Amino acid sequence: MNADTIPATMRRWEMDGFGRAALELRDVAVPRPGPGEVLVKVAAVALNYRDLLIIADGVGAPLAFPFTPASDLAGTVVAMGANAARFATGARVISTFFPGWIDGLPEGDSALLPYQALGGAYPGVLAEYVALPEAWLAAAPETLPLEEASTLPCAGLTAWFGLVERGGLRAGDTVLVEGTGGVALFGVQIAKAMGARAIVVSGSAGKRERARALGADIFIDRRQGDWVQAVRAATGGRGADHVLALAGGATLGRAVEVAAIGGRIAQIGVIEGFDASLPLGPLMLKQLTVNGIGVGHRRALEDLVRAVDAAGLRPVIDARYRLAELPAALDHLERGAFGKIVVTPG
Protein backbone atom coordinates (compact mmCIF):
# COMPACT_ATOMS: atom_id res chain seq x y z
CA MET A 1 0.00 0.00 0.00
CA ASN A 2 1.33 3.46 -0.86
CA ALA A 3 0.19 6.95 0.07
CA ASP A 4 -2.07 7.14 -2.97
CA THR A 5 -4.08 4.09 -1.87
CA ILE A 6 -4.57 5.08 1.78
CA PRO A 7 -8.17 6.26 2.13
CA ALA A 8 -9.04 9.71 3.43
CA THR A 9 -11.51 8.43 6.03
CA MET A 10 -11.92 5.38 8.22
CA ARG A 11 -14.15 3.93 10.94
CA ARG A 12 -13.22 4.24 14.62
CA TRP A 13 -15.07 3.46 17.85
CA GLU A 14 -15.35 6.50 20.11
CA MET A 15 -17.17 7.35 23.33
CA ASP A 16 -18.00 10.77 24.76
CA GLY A 17 -18.76 9.45 28.24
CA PHE A 18 -18.69 6.28 30.30
CA GLY A 19 -20.78 3.19 29.65
CA ARG A 20 -21.34 0.99 26.62
CA ALA A 21 -24.29 3.11 25.55
CA ALA A 22 -21.80 5.91 24.88
CA LEU A 23 -19.87 3.86 22.29
CA GLU A 24 -20.36 5.00 18.70
CA LEU A 25 -18.75 3.81 15.46
CA ARG A 26 -17.80 6.99 13.62
CA ASP A 27 -16.31 7.99 10.28
CA VAL A 28 -13.19 10.05 10.93
CA ALA A 29 -10.11 11.15 9.02
CA VAL A 30 -7.25 8.67 8.68
CA PRO A 31 -4.44 10.04 10.88
CA ARG A 32 -1.14 11.15 9.38
CA PRO A 33 2.03 9.81 11.03
CA GLY A 34 4.11 12.55 12.62
CA PRO A 35 7.88 12.57 13.17
CA GLY A 36 9.02 9.21 14.55
CA GLU A 37 5.57 7.69 13.97
CA VAL A 38 4.20 5.03 11.64
CA LEU A 39 0.69 4.53 10.28
CA VAL A 40 -0.59 1.01 10.91
CA LYS A 41 -3.45 -0.58 9.00
CA VAL A 42 -5.14 -2.56 11.77
CA ALA A 43 -5.81 -6.21 10.99
CA ALA A 44 -7.03 -7.31 14.43
CA VAL A 45 -7.68 -6.02 17.95
CA ALA A 46 -7.73 -8.45 20.88
CA LEU A 47 -10.04 -7.50 23.74
CA ASN A 48 -9.18 -7.78 27.43
CA TYR A 49 -11.34 -7.82 30.57
CA ARG A 50 -9.68 -4.53 31.43
CA ASP A 51 -11.43 -2.96 28.41
CA LEU A 52 -14.81 -3.64 30.04
CA LEU A 53 -13.68 -1.79 33.16
CA ILE A 54 -12.29 1.18 31.22
CA ILE A 55 -15.47 1.55 29.18
CA ALA A 56 -17.63 1.29 32.31
CA ASP A 57 -15.99 3.98 34.43
CA GLY A 58 -12.37 4.55 33.40
CA VAL A 59 -10.95 2.83 36.52
CA GLY A 60 -9.31 6.10 37.46
CA ALA A 61 -7.53 6.54 34.11
CA PRO A 62 -7.43 10.15 32.84
CA LEU A 63 -9.51 9.55 29.71
CA ALA A 64 -9.72 12.33 27.14
CA PHE A 65 -13.06 12.31 25.31
CA PRO A 66 -13.84 11.40 22.62
CA PHE A 67 -12.06 8.23 23.71
CA THR A 68 -11.24 5.06 21.77
CA PRO A 69 -10.94 1.82 23.82
CA ALA A 70 -8.62 -1.22 23.59
CA SER A 71 -4.86 -1.66 23.65
CA ASP A 72 -3.88 -4.75 21.65
CA LEU A 73 -3.49 -4.51 17.89
CA ALA A 74 -1.72 -6.34 15.11
CA GLY A 75 -1.39 -4.82 11.68
CA THR A 76 0.83 -3.67 8.86
CA VAL A 77 2.89 -0.49 8.56
CA VAL A 78 1.56 1.42 5.52
CA ALA A 79 3.22 4.82 5.93
CA MET A 80 6.09 6.35 7.89
CA GLY A 81 6.60 9.77 9.38
CA ALA A 82 9.83 11.74 9.25
CA ASN A 83 12.80 10.00 10.92
CA ALA A 84 10.89 6.76 11.50
CA ALA A 85 13.35 3.91 10.91
CA ARG A 86 12.54 0.91 13.15
CA PHE A 87 10.14 -0.65 10.63
CA ALA A 88 9.86 -0.63 6.86
CA THR A 89 6.62 -0.15 4.99
CA GLY A 90 4.89 -3.53 4.87
CA ALA A 91 6.27 -4.68 8.24
CA ARG A 92 3.89 -6.70 10.44
CA VAL A 93 3.72 -5.21 13.92
CA ILE A 94 1.97 -5.53 17.29
CA SER A 95 1.39 -2.85 19.90
CA THR A 96 3.02 -2.61 23.32
CA PHE A 97 0.57 -2.28 26.21
CA PHE A 98 2.64 0.31 28.11
CA PRO A 99 4.06 2.82 25.60
CA GLY A 100 7.62 3.79 26.39
CA TRP A 101 8.31 0.96 28.88
CA ILE A 102 11.21 -0.61 27.03
CA ASP A 103 12.96 -2.64 29.77
CA GLY A 104 13.70 -2.73 33.48
CA LEU A 105 11.23 -1.25 35.97
CA PRO A 106 8.44 1.14 34.96
CA GLU A 107 8.74 4.80 35.89
CA GLY A 108 6.85 6.14 38.89
CA ASP A 109 7.14 6.34 42.66
CA SER A 110 5.41 5.01 45.75
CA ALA A 111 2.43 7.32 45.21
CA LEU A 112 2.34 7.68 41.42
CA LEU A 113 1.34 4.33 39.95
CA PRO A 114 2.94 3.58 36.56
CA TYR A 115 -0.23 2.91 34.58
CA GLN A 116 0.09 4.88 31.34
CA ALA A 117 -1.36 2.33 28.92
CA LEU A 118 -2.95 2.31 25.49
CA GLY A 119 -6.73 2.35 25.66
CA GLY A 120 -6.52 4.25 28.96
CA ALA A 121 -4.17 7.15 29.55
CA TYR A 122 -3.48 6.99 25.80
CA PRO A 123 -6.18 6.61 23.11
CA GLY A 124 -6.89 3.03 22.08
CA VAL A 125 -6.80 1.11 18.84
CA LEU A 126 -10.36 0.08 17.86
CA ALA A 127 -10.04 1.64 14.43
CA GLU A 128 -9.11 0.76 10.86
CA TYR A 129 -5.88 2.81 10.99
CA VAL A 130 -3.76 4.00 13.92
CA ALA A 131 -0.74 6.33 13.96
CA LEU A 132 1.69 5.49 16.77
CA PRO A 133 5.30 6.29 17.70
CA GLU A 134 7.43 3.50 16.28
CA ALA A 135 8.91 2.80 19.73
CA TRP A 136 5.41 1.74 20.88
CA LEU A 137 5.44 -1.25 18.54
CA ALA A 138 7.20 -4.60 18.25
CA ALA A 139 7.64 -6.94 15.29
CA ALA A 140 4.88 -9.55 15.05
CA PRO A 141 5.80 -13.25 15.14
CA GLU A 142 6.67 -14.63 11.71
CA THR A 143 4.73 -17.84 12.37
CA LEU A 144 1.36 -16.35 13.35
CA PRO A 145 -1.43 -14.74 11.33
CA LEU A 146 -2.10 -11.21 12.52
CA GLU A 147 -5.37 -12.15 14.24
CA GLU A 148 -3.47 -14.49 16.55
CA ALA A 149 -0.55 -12.08 16.94
CA SER A 150 -2.94 -9.44 18.32
CA THR A 151 -3.43 -11.55 21.46
CA LEU A 152 0.21 -11.21 22.59
CA PRO A 153 0.58 -7.58 23.83
CA CYS A 154 -1.48 -7.99 27.01
CA ALA A 155 -2.65 -11.57 27.68
CA GLY A 156 0.36 -13.34 26.19
CA LEU A 157 2.91 -10.99 27.71
CA THR A 158 1.22 -11.03 31.13
CA ALA A 159 1.51 -14.82 31.34
CA TRP A 160 5.10 -14.72 30.03
CA PHE A 161 6.10 -11.95 32.44
CA GLY A 162 4.61 -13.75 35.43
CA LEU A 163 6.06 -17.17 34.64
CA VAL A 164 9.33 -16.50 32.83
CA GLU A 165 10.49 -12.90 33.27
CA ARG A 166 9.61 -12.59 36.96
CA GLY A 167 8.93 -16.21 37.87
CA GLY A 168 12.02 -17.92 36.48
CA LEU A 169 10.01 -20.90 35.23
CA ARG A 170 12.09 -24.07 34.76
CA ALA A 171 11.49 -27.45 33.22
CA GLY A 172 9.89 -29.81 35.70
CA ASP A 173 8.04 -27.06 37.61
CA THR A 174 4.30 -27.23 38.21
CA VAL A 175 2.20 -24.26 37.05
CA LEU A 176 -1.34 -23.64 38.27
CA VAL A 177 -3.65 -21.30 36.37
CA GLU A 178 -7.06 -20.05 37.45
CA GLY A 179 -9.75 -20.24 34.78
CA THR A 180 -9.65 -20.62 31.00
CA GLY A 181 -9.42 -17.04 29.78
CA GLY A 182 -6.69 -15.60 27.61
CA VAL A 183 -3.94 -15.23 30.22
CA ALA A 184 -4.74 -18.64 31.72
CA LEU A 185 -4.46 -20.50 28.42
CA PHE A 186 -1.26 -18.68 27.54
CA GLY A 187 0.01 -19.82 30.93
CA VAL A 188 -0.76 -23.44 30.04
CA GLN A 189 0.92 -23.17 26.65
CA ILE A 190 4.01 -21.40 27.98
CA ALA A 191 4.34 -23.93 30.78
CA LYS A 192 4.25 -26.84 28.35
CA ALA A 193 6.67 -25.12 25.95
CA MET A 194 9.11 -24.74 28.86
CA GLY A 195 8.81 -28.37 29.94
CA ALA A 196 6.63 -27.71 32.98
CA ARG A 197 3.43 -29.40 34.19
CA ALA A 198 0.17 -27.41 33.95
CA ILE A 199 -2.85 -27.53 36.25
CA VAL A 200 -6.08 -25.72 35.34
CA VAL A 201 -8.58 -24.83 38.09
CA SER A 202 -11.92 -23.89 36.54
CA GLY A 203 -15.59 -23.67 37.37
CA SER A 204 -16.54 -25.14 33.99
CA ALA A 205 -16.15 -28.89 33.70
CA GLY A 206 -17.29 -28.59 30.09
CA LYS A 207 -13.96 -26.99 29.22
CA ARG A 208 -11.95 -29.92 30.59
CA GLU A 209 -11.18 -31.62 27.26
CA ARG A 210 -10.43 -28.32 25.51
CA ALA A 211 -7.89 -27.50 28.22
CA ARG A 212 -6.33 -30.94 27.96
CA ALA A 213 -6.05 -30.57 24.20
CA LEU A 214 -3.82 -27.55 24.85
CA GLY A 215 -1.56 -29.66 27.06
CA ALA A 216 -3.05 -29.19 30.54
CA ASP A 217 -1.96 -32.18 32.64
CA ILE A 218 -4.55 -31.84 35.40
CA PHE A 219 -8.00 -30.23 35.39
CA ILE A 220 -9.62 -29.38 38.73
CA ASP A 221 -13.33 -28.46 38.87
CA ARG A 222 -13.46 -25.77 41.57
CA ARG A 223 -17.15 -26.55 42.17
CA GLN A 224 -16.40 -30.10 43.30
CA GLY A 225 -15.20 -29.75 46.89
CA ASP A 226 -12.04 -28.02 48.09
CA TRP A 227 -9.89 -27.35 45.02
CA VAL A 228 -6.82 -26.58 47.14
CA GLN A 229 -6.96 -30.08 48.62
CA ALA A 230 -7.54 -31.50 45.14
CA VAL A 231 -4.39 -29.80 43.82
CA ARG A 232 -2.38 -30.99 46.81
CA ALA A 233 -3.56 -34.53 46.22
CA ALA A 234 -2.75 -34.34 42.50
CA THR A 235 0.79 -33.15 43.25
CA GLY A 236 1.55 -35.63 46.02
CA GLY A 237 1.28 -32.86 48.60
CA ARG A 238 3.89 -30.62 46.98
CA GLY A 239 1.54 -27.96 45.63
CA ALA A 240 2.22 -25.61 42.71
CA ASP A 241 5.62 -24.02 42.08
CA HIS A 242 3.94 -21.18 40.16
CA VAL A 243 0.42 -19.81 40.51
CA LEU A 244 -1.11 -17.40 38.01
CA ALA A 245 -3.59 -15.66 40.33
CA LEU A 246 -6.17 -14.36 37.88
CA ALA A 247 -9.20 -13.75 40.09
CA GLY A 248 -7.89 -11.40 42.76
CA GLY A 249 -9.91 -10.69 45.89
CA ALA A 250 -10.14 -13.46 48.48
CA THR A 251 -8.91 -16.04 45.97
CA LEU A 252 -5.35 -14.76 46.40
CA GLY A 253 -5.37 -16.34 49.86
CA ARG A 254 -6.12 -19.71 48.29
CA ALA A 255 -3.12 -19.23 46.01
CA VAL A 256 -0.94 -18.90 49.11
CA GLU A 257 -2.43 -22.10 50.50
CA VAL A 258 -1.85 -24.11 47.33
CA ALA A 259 1.67 -22.86 46.57
CA ALA A 260 4.65 -25.16 47.08
CA ILE A 261 7.53 -24.40 49.45
CA GLY A 262 9.47 -21.57 47.79
CA GLY A 263 6.68 -21.08 45.27
CA ARG A 264 5.98 -17.96 43.24
CA ILE A 265 2.58 -16.31 42.90
CA ALA A 266 1.95 -13.93 40.01
CA GLN A 267 -0.91 -11.64 41.08
CA ILE A 268 -2.60 -10.56 37.87
CA GLY A 269 -6.40 -10.44 37.86
CA VAL A 270 -9.00 -8.42 39.76
CA ILE A 271 -12.23 -10.09 38.64
CA GLU A 272 -13.16 -10.84 42.25
CA GLY A 273 -12.03 -7.47 43.58
CA PHE A 274 -9.05 -5.19 44.17
CA ASP A 275 -8.76 -5.96 47.89
CA ALA A 276 -7.30 -9.20 49.23
CA SER A 277 -6.36 -10.82 52.53
CA LEU A 278 -3.63 -13.43 52.87
CA PRO A 279 -2.82 -16.12 55.45
CA LEU A 280 0.52 -14.77 56.68
CA GLY A 281 1.68 -17.99 58.31
CA PRO A 282 1.88 -20.00 55.06
CA LEU A 283 3.18 -16.94 53.18
CA MET A 284 6.13 -16.59 55.54
CA LEU A 285 6.89 -20.18 56.48
CA LYS A 286 6.71 -21.45 52.89
CA GLN A 287 9.07 -18.63 51.84
CA LEU A 288 6.73 -17.56 49.04
CA THR A 289 7.31 -14.78 46.53
CA VAL A 290 4.31 -12.73 45.40
CA ASN A 291 4.94 -10.74 42.23
CA GLY A 292 2.52 -8.04 41.20
CA ILE A 293 2.30 -8.37 37.43
CA GLY A 294 1.21 -5.36 35.37
CA VAL A 295 1.66 -6.84 31.88
CA GLY A 296 5.31 -6.19 30.94
CA HIS A 297 7.85 -4.21 28.92
CA ARG A 298 8.73 -4.24 25.23
CA ARG A 299 11.89 -6.27 25.61
CA ALA A 300 9.95 -9.11 27.26
CA LEU A 301 7.33 -8.90 24.50
CA GLU A 302 10.12 -9.32 21.95
CA ASP A 303 11.39 -12.32 23.94
CA LEU A 304 7.88 -13.79 23.84
CA VAL A 305 7.67 -13.26 20.08
CA ARG A 306 10.90 -15.22 19.60
CA ALA A 307 9.62 -17.98 21.88
CA VAL A 308 6.34 -18.18 19.96
CA ASP A 309 8.21 -18.60 16.68
CA ALA A 310 10.64 -21.14 18.14
CA ALA A 311 8.04 -23.26 19.97
CA GLY A 312 5.23 -23.03 17.42
CA LEU A 313 2.83 -21.68 20.05
CA ARG A 314 -0.64 -20.87 18.68
CA PRO A 315 -2.86 -18.53 20.72
CA VAL A 316 -6.43 -19.66 21.38
CA ILE A 317 -9.13 -17.44 19.85
CA ASP A 318 -12.63 -18.23 21.07
CA ALA A 319 -14.47 -15.94 18.63
CA ARG A 320 -13.92 -13.26 16.01
CA TYR A 321 -16.15 -10.24 15.47
CA ARG A 322 -16.20 -7.52 12.82
CA LEU A 323 -15.54 -3.92 13.85
CA ALA A 324 -19.24 -3.05 13.74
CA GLU A 325 -19.99 -6.01 16.03
CA LEU A 326 -18.08 -4.62 19.02
CA PRO A 327 -21.15 -4.63 21.34
CA ALA A 328 -21.62 -8.37 20.74
CA ALA A 329 -17.90 -8.94 21.27
CA LEU A 330 -18.04 -7.12 24.62
CA ASP A 331 -21.07 -9.20 25.65
CA HIS A 332 -19.10 -12.37 24.86
CA LEU A 333 -16.11 -11.09 26.81
CA GLU A 334 -18.32 -10.38 29.83
CA ARG A 335 -19.88 -13.85 29.69
CA GLY A 336 -16.44 -15.42 29.69
CA ALA A 337 -14.35 -16.84 26.88
CA PHE A 338 -12.17 -19.87 26.32
CA GLY A 339 -9.13 -17.89 25.22
CA LYS A 340 -9.37 -14.57 23.44
CA ILE A 341 -12.02 -12.44 21.71
CA VAL A 342 -10.72 -10.68 18.60
CA VAL A 343 -12.21 -7.83 16.56
CA THR A 344 -11.19 -7.60 12.90
CA PRO A 345 -11.52 -4.12 11.36
CA GLY A 346 -10.56 -5.25 7.85
Side-chain angles (χ1 to χ4, degrees), residues 54-274:
I54 292 288
I55 291 169
D57 60 16
V59 201
L63 306 191
F65 296 111
F67 173 76
T68 297
S71 57
D72 297 9
L73 71 77
T76 304
V77 174
V78 294
M80 301 166 62
N83 303 320
R86 288 191 71 229
F87 303 100
T89 301
R92 294 166 12 111
V93 295
I94 55 178
S95 56
T96 55
F97 185 83
F98 284 116
W101 186 18
I102 307 301
D103 203 346
L105 293 173
E107 295 182 357
D109 57 35
S110 64
L112 180 62
L113 297 180
Y115 196 71
Q116 304 294 308
L118 283 176
Y122 298 100
V125 298
L126 273 168
E128 293 178 313
Y129 291 86
V130 176
L132 293 172
E134 60 179 0
W136 294 12
L137 299 165
E142 296 177 359
T143 57
L144 295 184
L146 289 174
E147 288 184 8
E148 295 179 7
S150 73
T151 67
L152 298 183
C154 182
L157 180 56
T158 297
W160 177 268
F161 214 74
L163 290 175
V164 180
E165 182 73 21
R166 291 282 189 262
L169 178 65
R170 298 177 298 180
D173 285 350
T174 297
V175 174
L176 183 147
V177 303
E178 299 173 356
T180 54
V183 177
L185 296 189
F186 270 114
V188 171
Q189 292 176 294
I190 291 168
K192 300 309 296 181
M194 299 288 287
R197 184 165 64 156
I199 301 175
V200 174
V201 176
S202 173
S204 174
K207 296 175 180 176
R208 182 193 312 267
E209 296 310 315
R210 297 175 72 184
R212 284 180 173 163
L214 289 175
D217 299 281
I218 300 168
F219 187 98
I220 304 292
D221 186 345
R222 70 167 71 242
R223 300 171 303 176
Q224 302 297 316
D226 186 340
W227 64 265
V228 171
Q229 292 299 332
V231 172
R232 288 172 175 167
T235 58
R238 176 181 175 83
D241 300 295
H242 303 264
V243 180
L244 291 187
L246 298 168
T251 305
L252 184 58
R254 307 306 309 276
V256 170
E257 294 176 21
V258 82
I261 301 293
R264 295 177 180 269
I265 299 170
Q267 169 51 39
I268 296 166
V270 295
I271 294 174
E272 294 186 11
F274 284 87

